[in-house]
Amino acid sequence: MRNEIVKKLTATMQAAGLDGLVCLSPENFAYVSGFVVPSQPLMRWRHAAVVVTADGRCAYLAVDMEETTVTSRVDGAEVRVWGEFTDQPMQVLAQLLRDLGLEGAKVGTELNYLFANDYAALCQASPGTRFVAADATLDRLRQLKTPDEIELLRRLARIADESICETLCEVRVGATEMDIAAGLTRRLYTLGAEDFKLMIVATGPRSVYPNVGPSLRRLEPGDICRVEIFSVINGYHAGVCRTACVRSAPPHAETIWNNLVACKYLVLDMIKPGASSKKIYEAFIGQLAKLDLPPIQFIGHGIGLHLHEEPYLGMYSDVPLEAGMVLGIEPLVYDTGHGFGMQNKDIVLVTDTGAELLSDYTDTDRLLAVQ
Amino acid sequence: MRNEIVKKLTATMQAAGLDGLVCLSPENFAYVSGFVVPSQPLMRWRHAAVVVTADGRCAYLAVDMEETTVTSRVDGAEVRVWGEFTDQPMQVLAQLLRDLGLEGAKVGTELNYLFANDYAALCQASPGTRFVAADATLDRLRQLKTPDEIELLRRLARIADESICETLCEVRVGATEMDIAAGLTRRLYTLGAEDFKLMIVATGPRSVYPNVGPSLRRLEPGDICRVEIFSVINGYHAGVCRTACVRSAPPHAETIWNNLVACKYLVLDMIKPGASSKKIYEAFIGQLAKLDLPPIQFIGHGIGLHLHEEPYLGMYSDVPLEAGMVLGIEPLVYDTGHGFGMQNKDIVLVTDTGAELLSDYTDTDRLLAVQ
């Protein structure tokens, strides 16, 4: 577990009148523990949890087959093990809560994550305990990154950016989208990422589809290639997207790209503590309007332990930015008229005085070109 | 959507007295539709669903930013779109159910997947509709694969097997686990996989940890390397695991490996329609007992749209095998005494008369050696 995070949690719990907190989702487990239980995000019935009490004690819940992995990471903290084929995990969790003195207490948990059947089982096994939703509280805490979290996100942003840029410089006309995926993942791991998420390799007419993975389509001259990937270490993500043309840009592509670059600098100039998330979005929309293309619903969002986190920089909310927030900023268009999409996603830290571009490997001022 | 699957579903619904079925999890969405909504498994609030009525009509629910992707894949079926920032998805789903004539009906859904808050919202938006758990029904249907599903799993097993085998033949002493990951993923995509899951690269002392990803650890002579990966196309998975020594095997490793190979053939010989899953497990345990090492809780499990599916071949259940089942068979030991783990995971089809090994690229009769 991570002392600085636990300290933030207990202060919040005391203010909210919570006696305990059960972090059950992979991202909030990683937030408190600093690591990911490998099979938890992959097999959702293999529940793992960290319980934090208002006085700062921590205890873990782990499925038997992950016991050795969890025990090796928790510096002697209690690990309560449940048997995948022999126990009802919510009953074991309820017993752990009792042993921590939380019977009949007010306990925060993640009702946007716990499954309907499991929630019913937990309530039944814990009569008298009052479970309340703590999802928003955890979301809010995770918005402001610690120095360690910022350092990790800087490293992750660099890995994703370099992997995409070098792969696009290496592939040639006739390569498949799968070849791009292969080069991208090879570099990502070589640079030290433990995992990745949401790899988008969308070329030619496929580039208008928001989130498509690689196919066997071959690169042709005049294609647009949208390539995005999130590199992952200890559950933390940084996503970068770059766009390239193949040899030469199709009509209007340069015009669109120059507008997206203008959007990037406009947004970077506006980001600072106290800036309105909605005003930044409106400025982006104003710049994008010169293209007469449908706008996306947000220009950016928080990032850290999930691909998208609060706050969104969009039209539906307005929050003041704060130092320590890390944002994904992604000017993009899906131009179905011309048959291609373009996107330029960067990772940006809100500093005490403005913005710091963390994904600074690729020169995006000019459209990349695959040869 | 896939007609053969929908036919199986409607027959089951009629037998169970269900008027409709809401498939919400990524795997059951893919089961009915034949494709994956890219961001659904990654951002769990981006709900996608397929609704099937007892008379065989299908309609889709999709988040706005995935509308183009979903619409391009459903052959003109209805796609009801909800706005990520403007709608409550369960209200839109409830309206879709009403429009399909399912108001007040008995509707099966996945209570092991739907989150507590969403389930409450769905019930509130659908007064009078009776939601019942259909998780087990869907699990059961998915056990028996169609010819198309078997063909896809055969292809996926081959991709995973070849990727691991060729990567282990290529790397050398001094390479890092990340280098193995890089070679593995490059091959996997080149061979046509769209995605992968649960990559295990566990070498030297790390090989005793069940599910660990790659690290920067370098290969040393005498290491054991456990390497597993699940290749993925259209949501279907096939997982293969291979073990290699580096240059020469540590003491006892050959003995353990020969036992695991004997386990493999013992199990392959026993697999056929009507065979007892528990008896196969017991025979495996009998063979493994010669090693005096702690047994794992199962020797195999179903596989298809999830990494693990029913039936398990273990000590806690007993089911007769049926033709059309596809199983992951994984003799393994974690020998903490000698400080290494070994595993040999294959994909096996239950045929009308016995077993067919789908992961047949690597010769596992002898322990692989990294040079």
Side-chain angles (χ1 to χ4, degrees):
Chain A
M1 77 225 174
R2 306 194 298 172
N3 293 333
E4 192 169 353
I5 305 291
V6 171
K7 211 175 283 179
K8 285 171 72 169
L9 285 173
T10 51
T12 304
M13 288 160 70
Q14 285 159 16
L18 290 177
D19 304 305
L21 183 63
V22 181
C23 295
L24 276 158
S25 65
E27 63 272 20
N28 284 321
F29 183 98
Y31 185 52
V32 183
S33 71
F35 67 96
V36 172
V37 183
S39 62
Q40 183 196 11
L42 297 169
M43 302 189 216
R44 57 180 170 269
W45 58 88
R46 285 199 182 161
H47 287 294
V50 200
V51 184
V52 183
T53 62
D55 56 4
R57 290 169 293 146
C58 288
Y60 289 81
L61 179 79
V63 67
D64 47 4
M65 79 96 57
E66 296 285 16
E67 179 180 4
T68 52
T69 305
V70 174
T71 304
S72 73
R73 301 290 298 264
V74 299
D75 295 327
E78 176 174 4
V79 179
R80 185 68 55 95
V81 176
W82 63 277
E84 181 167 6
F85 299 101
T86 50
D87 289 316
Q88 210 297 329
M90 293 300 124
Q91 287 175 4
V92 178
L93 176 59
Q95 183 60 48
L96 177 60
L97 295 177
R98 278 194 291 279
D99 295 344
L100 290 167
L102 294 172
E103 184 161 20
K106 186 175 170 189
V107 176
T109 190
E110 298 181 67
L111 297 185
N112 285 339
Y113 179 78
L114 198 55
F115 308 116
N117 275 346
D118 285 320
Y119 182 54
L122 180 62
C123 291
Q124 197 182 359
S126 314
T129 303
R130 192 174 148 215
F131 293 101
V132 298
D135 309 81
T137 303
L138 285 158
D139 286 352
R140 168 66 193 144
L141 279 176
R142 280 169 37 204
Q143 287 184 28
L144 301 183
K145 270 62 177 178
T146 66
D148 285 351
E149 288 178 298
I150 291 167
E151 203 40 60
L152 180 54
L153 288 165
R154 179 180 280 116
R155 184 177 163 211
L156 286 163
R158 177 79 180 216
I159 291 173
D161 194 7
E162 182 174 338
S163 297
I164 298 172
C165 182
E166 293 300 327
T167 299
L168 289 171
C169 290
E170 175 189 62
V171 293
R172 296 286 176 264
V173 167
T176 66
E177 292 180 346
M178 291 294 183
D179 293 327
I180 295 178
L184 204 50
T185 52
R186 179 173 63 77
R187 286 195 169 79
L188 202 90
Y189 286 111
T190 306
L191 292 170
E194 292 173 352
D195 197 357
F196 67 85
K197 295 254 181 83
L198 195 58
M199 176 168 56
I200 299 172
V201 183
T203 72
R206 299 182 82 241
S207 62
V208 299
Y209 296 117
N211 291 324
V212 291
S215 76
L216 289 168
R217 183 183 184 280
R218 289 187 186 280
L219 299 184
E220 298 171 14
D223 278 350
I224 288 295
C225 309
R226 260 179 63 237
V227 177
E228 174 166 336
I229 201 159
F230 288 71
S231 58
V232 179
I233 294 177
N234 286 339
Y236 283 81
H237 305 62
V240 171
C241 183
R242 301 298 179 217
T243 300
C245 61
V246 179
R247 290 196 181 154
S248 61
H252 298 276
E254 299 274 9
T255 308
I256 293 174
W257 187 254
N258 291 338
N259 189 298
L260 295 184
V261 172
C263 288
K264 166 184 165 178
Y265 288 112
L266 180 70
V267 169
L268 282 175
D269 281 346
M270 291 182 75
I271 289 176
K272 62 181 178 187
S276 147
S277 63
K278 194 172 187 176
K279 288 224 168 77
I280 295 174
Y281 175 76
E282 287 166 351
F284 155 69
I285 288 296
Q287 170 65 33
L288 195 75
K290 298 172 187 171
L291 292 175
D292 197 24
L293 286 169
I296 52 164
Q297 297 186 85
F298 52 86
I299 177 61
H301 52 75
I303 188 161
L305 284 152
H306 216 294
L307 296 99
H308 284 194
E309 300 186 352
E310 299 286 343
Y312 280 90
L313 281 66
M315 68 176 91
Y316 299 109
S317 58
D318 192 9
V319 298
L321 299 187
E322 297 172 65
M325 287 179 168
V326 175
L327 307 169
I329 299 294
E330 46 183 334
L332 71 89
V333 292
Y334 303 121
D335 185 349
T336 48
H338 291 106
F340 58 80
M342 305 186 97
Q343 183 173 5
N344 191 39
K345 179 170 186 165
D346 283 300
I347 301 293
V348 176
L349 169 68
V350 185
T351 66
D352 288 335
T353 55
E356 180 191 340
L357 182 68
L358 301 185
S359 50
D360 59 356
Y361 186 87
T362 307
D363 175 7
T364 60
D365 287 358
R366 291 180 51 220
L367 186 59
L368 293 169
V370 170
Q371 292 310 312
Chain B
M1 76 225 171
R2 306 195 296 172
N3 293 332
E4 192 168 354
I5 305 290
V6 171
K7 212 175 283 179
K8 285 172 71 169
L9 285 174
T10 51
T12 305
M13 288 160 68
Q14 284 158 16
L18 289 177
D19 304 304
L21 183 63
V22 182
C23 295
L24 277 158
S25 64
E27 62 271 21
N28 285 321
F29 183 98
Y31 185 52
V32 184
S33 70
F35 67 96
V36 172
V37 183
S39 62
Q40 183 196 10
L42 297 170
M43 301 189 216
R44 56 181 171 268
W45 59 88
R46 284 199 182 160
H47 286 294
V50 200
V51 183
V52 184
T53 62
D55 57 5
R57 290 170 292 147
C58 289
Y60 290 80
L61 177 80
V63 66
D64 47 5
M65 79 97 56
E66 297 286 15
E67 179 179 3
T68 51
T69 305
V70 174
T71 304
S72 73
R73 301 291 297 265
V74 299
D75 296 327
E78 177 175 4
V79 179
R80 185 69 56 96
V81 177
W82 64 277
E84 181 169 6
F85 299 100
T86 50
D87 287 317
Q88 209 298 329
M90 294 300 124
Q91 288 176 2
V92 178
L93 176 58
Q95 184 60 48
L96 177 60
L97 294 176
R98 279 193 291 277
D99 295 345
L100 290 167
L102 293 173
E103 184 163 22
K106 186 175 168 189
V107 175
T109 191
E110 298 181 68
L111 297 186
N112 286 338
Y113 179 78
L114 197 55
F115 309 116
N117 275 346
D118 286 319
Y119 181 55
L122 180 61
C123 291
Q124 198 184 358
S126 314
T129 302
R130 191 173 147 215
F131 292 101
V132 298
D135 309 81
T137 303
L138 286 159
D139 285 352
R140 168 67 192 143
L141 280 176
R142 280 169 38 204
Q143 287 182 28
L144 300 183
K145 269 65 177 178
T146 66
D148 285 350
E149 288 178 298
I150 291 167
E151 204 40 59
L152 181 54
L153 288 165
R154 178 179 281 116
R155 184 177 162 212
L156 287 164
R158 178 77 180 216
I159 291 173
D161 195 7
E162 182 174 337
S163 297
I164 298 172
C165 183
E166 294 299 328
T167 299
L168 288 172
C169 290
E170 176 189 60
V171 293
R172 295 289 175 263
V173 167
T176 66
E177 292 179 347
M178 292 293 184
D179 293 327
I180 295 178
L184 203 51
T185 52
R186 179 174 63 77
R187 287 194 168 78
L188 202 92
Y189 285 111
T190 306
L191 291 169
E194 292 173 351
D195 197 357
F196 67 86
K197 295 254 181 84
L198 195 58
M199 176 168 55
I200 299 173
V201 183
T203 71
R206 298 183 81 241
S207 62
V208 299
Y209 294 118
N211 291 324
V212 291
S215 76
L216 289 168
R217 183 183 182 280
R218 290 187 185 279
L219 299 184
E220 298 171 14
D223 278 350
I224 287 296
C225 309
R226 260 180 63 236
V227 177
E228 175 166 335
I229 201 159
F230 288 71
S231 57
V232 179
I233 294 177
N234 286 338
Y236 284 81
H237 304 63
V240 171
C241 184
R242 301 298 179 218
T243 299
C245 60
V246 178
R247 292 201 177 149
S248 60
H252 298 276
E254 298 275 10
T255 308
I256 293 174
W257 187 255
N258 291 338
N259 189 299
L260 295 184
V261 172
C263 288
K264 166 184 164 176
Y265 288 113
L266 180 71
V267 169
L268 282 175
D269 281 348
M270 291 182 74
I271 288 177
K272 62 181 178 187
S276 146
S277 63
K278 194 173 187 174
K279 287 224 170 75
I280 295 173
Y281 176 76
E282 288 166 350
F284 155 68
I285 288 296
Q287 170 66 32
L288 195 74
K290 298 172 187 169
L291 292 176
D292 197 24
L293 285 171
I296 52 164
Q297 298 187 83
F298 52 86
I299 176 63
H301 53 75
I303 187 162
L305 284 153
H306 217 295
L307 296 100
H308 285 194
E309 297 186 353
E310 298 286 346
Y312 279 91
L313 282 65
M315 67 176 93
Y316 299 109
S317 58
D318 192 9
V319 298
L321 299 186
E322 296 173 65
M325 286 179 170
V326 176
L327 307 170
I329 299 294
E330 46 182 336
L332 73 89
V333 292
Y334 302 121
D335 185 349
T336 48
H338 290 105
F340 58 77
M342 304 186 97
Q343 183 173 4
N344 191 38
K345 179 169 186 166
D346 282 301
I347 301 293
V348 175
L349 169 68
V350 186
T351 67
D352 288 335
T353 54
E356 180 191 340
L357 183 68
L358 301 184
S359 50
D360 60 357
Y361 186 86
T362 307
D363 175 7
T364 60
D365 287 357
R366 291 179 52 220
L367 185 59
L368 294 169
V370 170
Q371 291 312 310

